[in-house]
């Protein structure tokens, strides 16, 4: 777990992007796991191998470690079947490394991995948290607010201000 966390931090530093850079000072110093969330698998994990194989070359270390640790991670979902569809739930999940629930506690930053199966529309939503997504593989078609949908390639950060619909 420590190696995945360190590799993730190193990957983020390696991008050197201004959007990513503003979040990096919030990363916990000497980030080490102090909690051991109970492992939980989700149906979306059936796409993890493909996602990792097709990922960015510069993310190969992170993706390889994620793939190896996936069965031991706590995969979660924010939505329920009453809020969305079972098809969506079968193609969606996330796990947190740093934050309120992850192995590394932080009240200032949440960092983890979102996995979506192919051809999955994530429900439009908004919230108080500022977010930065960094696609590590595949193709993302993204929309913020009333902006038109945009093709966002792997490696291109996607930033959302607080309460911005996305």
């Amino acid at each position: 777990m420590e190696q995945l966390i360190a590799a993730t931090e190193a990957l983020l530093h390696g991008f050197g992007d201004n959007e990513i850079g503003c979040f990096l000072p919030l990363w916990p110093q000497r980030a080490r796991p102090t909690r051991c969330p109970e492992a939980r698998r989700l149906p979306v994990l059936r796409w993890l191998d493909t996602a990792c194989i097709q990922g960015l070359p510069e993310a190969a270390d992170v993706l390889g470690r994620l793939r190896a640790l996936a069965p031991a991670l706590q995969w979660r979902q924010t939505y329920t079947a009453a809020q969305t569809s079972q098809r969506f739930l079968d193609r969606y999940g996330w796990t947190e490394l740093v934050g309120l629930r992850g192995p590394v506690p932080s009240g200032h930053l949440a960092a983890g991995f979102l996995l979506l199966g192919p051809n999955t529309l994530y429900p439009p939503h908004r919230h108080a948290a500022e977010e930065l997504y960094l696609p590590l593989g595949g193709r993302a078609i993204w929309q913020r607010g009333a902006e038109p949908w945009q093709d966002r390639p792997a490696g291109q950060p996607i930033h959302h201000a607080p309460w911005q619909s996305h």
Side-chain angles (χ1 to χ4, degrees), residues 78-135:
T78 308
Y79 300 96
T80 66
Q83 296 169 308
T84 186
S85 69
Q86 188 60 48
R87 180 186 186 277
F88 174 75
L89 292 177
D90 288 344
R91 296 168 169 264
Y92 152 77
W94 55 271
T95 189
E96 186 176 271
L97 296 180
V98 177
L100 296 175
R101 300 169 208 85
V104 177
S106 175
H108 306 289
L109 174 79
F113 298 94
L114 168 69
L115 181 60
L116 295 173
N119 304 311
T120 302
L121 177 63
Y122 196 99
H125 64 285
R126 60 183 164 152
H127 40 69
E130 182 176 14
E131 287 184 313
L132 178 76
Y133 289 89
L134 179 63

Side-chain angles (χ1 to χ4, degrees), residues 5 9 13 23-32 97-99 103-111:
I5 293 164
E9 182 181 12
H13 278 284
F23 287 89
L24 289 174
L26 300 174
W27 196 273
Q29 294 294 316
R30 294 180 295 283
R32 290 200 168 76
L97 296 180
V98 177
V104 177
S106 175
H108 306 289
L109 174 79

